[in-house]
Amino acid sequence: MTGSQPVPPETFWKLENAKNGMITASEGGVRLHSAYNPEREACGAVGRDEVFARSAIVFYGFGLGYHVIECAKKIIQSDGASPRLVIIEPDIAHFYAAMAVLDWTPVFEVENLVIAVGAPAESVLPLLEDGSIVNIGETGVSDSYFFDIPAFTAHAAAYFETVRSIVKRNQRKNEINAATLRKFGKLWCRNSLKNLEQFAKRGFVSCLENKAFDDEGNDLPFLIIGAGPSLETILPYTKELQERCVTVCVETALRALLRFGVQPDFVILTDPQFWAYRHIAGLSAPQSVLITEVSAYPAVFRFDCRNLLLCASQFPVGAFTQSKLRLTPGDLGTGGSVASSAWNFARIAGAREIFVAGLDFAFPEKQTHIKGSSAEQTWHTLSSRLSSPDKFTAGALYSANATIGRDYTGSPVLTDSRMKMFAWWFESRLASCPETKTFTLGPQGLSVPGIVPAFLDELLSRPSAAASKITFLKTAATAHSQLSSAQLSELSELINHFPRETFLSQYPFLQEYL
């Protein structure tokens, strides 16, 4: 707001006196507040108990501010814990004008106040949502009350439509996470409790933060390899690509890479389910560093690799332990797919150029995975005379509201709501990290704003970075646990006598799982 000049309210509002003498207004022929008693109208709207039962109260626009002011008064007068007050308005002039008409003093007396004025739509979400799975049902957009009054948002309809879309997607994401928690909460707790000793044995991803640079200070490009169908066209070149990039492979693509004699620099596995472990079961990658978290299936920690690093756990037992021991393993965040963790790892390491291959968010030519992937092999294993592999493929293609999207050439491509959710995470994450450029080597996938198509030949024409990677990869290969004797003692106590009651006081929704 620095440097902006106040604009007279009459520029966009028609101000007049209401029947009770208060000021009211209309904009574009639409009345913003009551023509009789705008203050009483606002009191009735914000005075309901369900409004203040949430952790945050969010206003999309505010007109002259009657509703916001009345809400602020009630927050100030409340005795117990008060909700956060969040005000979203794209136009600075409207904000200045509202303060010129009404007294906003009560609003600025609210201790927990957030005012997002003139902020990009994509930046609004972090004000509402912390993105952590350990807080499901407690905070964020799922526990916010939204005042979305059409008259208050009509002046910036496109902006607020974008904000609504972002919020609804995150509400849907939280619903999915909550359903996942109900289904796998016991598994997460069981795995984490079995694996707590890994904190004393393993190095942390945080040791690689901002270390992906060569001796001259140039950042190393990263290549994230997924198991999408488009990887088929990239596989023959992966050895050459590995010479030019730090390669980060999601666990579902490892089998395909090994089939071509390529051991990626890093393998990421953050899913705690047994089926995630099955993707690497029986495989060996002694030149690769495996990145996982403490809630992973215990057999993951026996994988034959160069080294194993822990990232921060997104799940309650691991998060509780990290907090208790004051550990900072390196947060790879959540995004619904392991590919999002891989992207976050590349950015944390310092990458400014991230290439992706096999990250399709769609089903090009109605394929779900690259041929020969562990998922495809599993379907062949489970098939029978009555359940062919095609039956499993059809289930994957059409089980999540299949729809048609557009690839990077503008051609139609089959996708679904689940894939679009993953793609949206990338879209919002990329928008918040403009300094990191992301390119795709597979234009057949769903087009994601922020990801730019790149030509394989151009990347292959770059000079080898093999020598430049040596120091970075050596750091990853030699990282080991650095817990102090006091932390080791605390960890031993947690392993032998886990404080169940203290833990459940922080995570009561896990009562039935622990």
Side-chain angles (χ1 to χ4, degrees):
M1 293 176 12
T2 303
S4 299
Q5 297 298 320
V7 176
E10 294 83 0
T11 303
F12 35 78
W13 291 330
K14 179 183 178 182
L15 300 176
E16 55 187 325
N17 290 327
K19 296 294 184 181
N20 70 337
M22 301 290 293
I23 298 176
T24 187
S26 59
E27 183 173 7
V30 177
R31 187 169 293 283
L32 299 177
H33 302 284
S34 169
Y36 295 89
N37 192 329
E39 199 169 40
R40 185 175 63 188
E41 175 193 49
C43 285
V46 305
R48 301 188 301 275
D49 291 340
E50 62 265 28
V51 175
F52 294 87
R54 305 295 183 92
S55 63
I57 302 173
V58 183
F59 282 89
Y60 290 164
F62 40 73
L64 298 182
Y66 281 109
H67 292 69
V68 175
I69 294 168
E70 290 302 320
C71 185
K73 289 178 180 177
K74 292 183 182 300
I75 290 176
I76 295 170
Q77 295 166 3
S78 63
D79 296 328
S82 301
R84 186 167 29 144
L85 179 59
V86 181
I87 303 170
I88 300 172
E89 169 57 55
D91 185 42
I92 297 174
H94 275 72
F95 182 63
Y96 278 145
M99 289 190 295
V101 175
L102 298 182
D103 181 7
W104 277 52
T105 300
V107 176
F108 294 100
E109 291 178 353
V110 174
E111 183 176 353
N112 200 353
L113 171 68
V114 177
I115 300 179
V117 176
E122 295 78 10
S123 67
V124 169
L125 183 64
L127 304 176
L128 308 174
E129 184 69 79
D130 64 11
S132 175
I133 201 168
V134 301
N135 286 321
I136 289 175
E138 296 180 344
T139 60
V141 296
S142 296
D143 194 37
S144 298
Y145 191 96
F146 292 88
F147 279 99
D148 187 3
I149 299 174
F152 294 173
T153 62
H155 67 284
Y159 175 89
F160 284 109
E161 186 57 37
T162 301
V163 172
R164 288 188 199 98
S165 177
I166 292 173
V167 167
K168 287 178 181 177
R169 285 171 176 173
N170 270 268
Q171 288 173 330
R172 175 58 180 156
K173 180 199 72 174
N174 287 350
E175 291 171 4
I176 293 172
N177 284 344
T180 305
L181 176 63
R182 288 191 294 272
K183 187 173 182 179
F184 297 110
K186 185 175 182 180
L187 173 66
W188 292 341
C189 291
R190 186 178 67 216
N191 286 353
S192 299
L193 289 171
K194 286 183 178 180
N195 296 332
L196 285 182
E197 63 179 11
Q198 299 298 332
F199 282 119
K201 297 180 177 180
R202 309 297 180 179
F204 295 155
V205 166
S206 55
C207 75
L208 299 176
E209 186 172 354
N210 292 321
K211 294 293 180 61
F213 297 91
D214 61 21
D215 296 336
E216 297 179 357
N218 300 311
D219 55 277
L220 298 170
F222 274 62
L223 173 63
I224 296 173
I225 304 173
S230 68
L231 181 60
E232 191 73 38
T233 60
I234 307 299
L235 270 178
Y237 306 97
T238 46
K239 279 190 176 181
E240 296 175 73
L241 290 170
Q242 189 166 30
E243 292 183 3
R244 292 159 176 80
C245 303
V246 176
T247 49
V248 184
C249 165
V250 304
E251 86 278 6
T252 50
L254 180 60
R255 188 179 298 273
L257 286 182
L258 295 178
R259 184 159 48 90
F260 270 76
V262 176
Q263 295 186 40
D265 298 320
F266 296 91
V267 179
I268 307 271
L269 190 159
T270 54
D271 191 325
Q273 297 181 66
F274 167 73
W275 293 106
Y277 161 68
R278 280 289 301 273
H279 292 306
I280 66 170
L283 303 180
S284 174
Q287 297 176 25
S288 304
V289 174
L290 176 65
I291 295 175
T292 189
E293 70 139 271
V294 74
S295 69
Y297 191 75
V300 167
F301 293 93
R302 298 194 292 271
F303 180 67
D304 180 19
C305 58
R306 189 178 185 184
N307 197 10
L308 193 151
L309 302 180
L310 288 178
C311 63
S313 179
Q314 301 297 319
F315 307 114
V317 171
F320 176 83
T321 303
Q322 289 160 189
S323 176
K324 194 81 172 174
L325 272 59
R326 303 166 300 284
L327 302 178
T328 54
D331 187 5
L332 300 190
T334 58
S337 71
V338 68
S340 62
S341 298
W343 191 93
N344 273 332
F345 166 63
R347 184 174 182 275
I348 287 174
R352 291 296 177 266
E353 278 189 318
I354 301 176
F355 295 86
V356 298
L359 203 62
D360 296 327
F361 305 118
F363 311 117
E365 298 183 3
K366 295 187 178 179
Q367 286 183 256
T368 59
H369 295 80
I370 183 177
K371 293 179 180 178
S373 68
S374 53
E376 187 180 74
Q377 294 301 318
T378 299
W379 292 343
H380 282 290
T381 302
L382 296 175
S383 64
S384 65
R385 293 173 63 184
L386 299 178
S387 296
S388 67
D390 288 341
K391 180 178 180 180
F392 294 107
T393 301
L397 287 174
Y398 299 105
S399 63
N401 300 318
T403 185
I404 297 296
R406 296 287 172 178
D407 66 16
Y408 290 91
T409 67
S411 301
V413 63
L414 184 66
T415 184
D416 62 23
S417 58
R418 179 180 58 240
M419 293 296 173
K420 291 177 75 174
M421 177 68 71
F422 298 155
W424 168 79
W425 180 91
F426 270 89
E427 178 185 344
S428 58
R429 189 77 174 107
L430 296 175
S432 65
C433 306
E435 71 282 1
T436 303
K437 307 303 180 184
T438 304
F439 306 90
T440 180
L441 300 178
Q444 308 96 314
L446 181 69
S447 178
V448 178
I451 299 181
V452 180
F455 292 104
L456 179 62
D457 290 344
E458 291 183 4
L459 183 55
L460 291 174
S461 67
R462 295 189 179 190
S464 173
S468 304
K469 292 165 44 176
I470 291 176
T471 301
F472 177 68
L473 296 182
K474 184 178 180 180
T475 302
T478 57
H480 58 278
S481 176
Q482 296 183 344
L483 267 64
S484 66
S485 56
Q487 288 173 317
L488 288 171
S489 178
E490 287 183 82
L491 178 60
S492 177
E493 181 65 24
L494 283 174
I495 293 172
N496 295 321
H497 305 287
F498 191 78
R500 185 176 184 276
E501 297 304 320
T502 303
F503 173 79
L504 290 176
S505 68
Q506 294 187 32
Y507 305 106
F509 57 95
L510 286 172
Q511 180 78 39
E512 60 183 296
Y513 302 125
L514 193 69

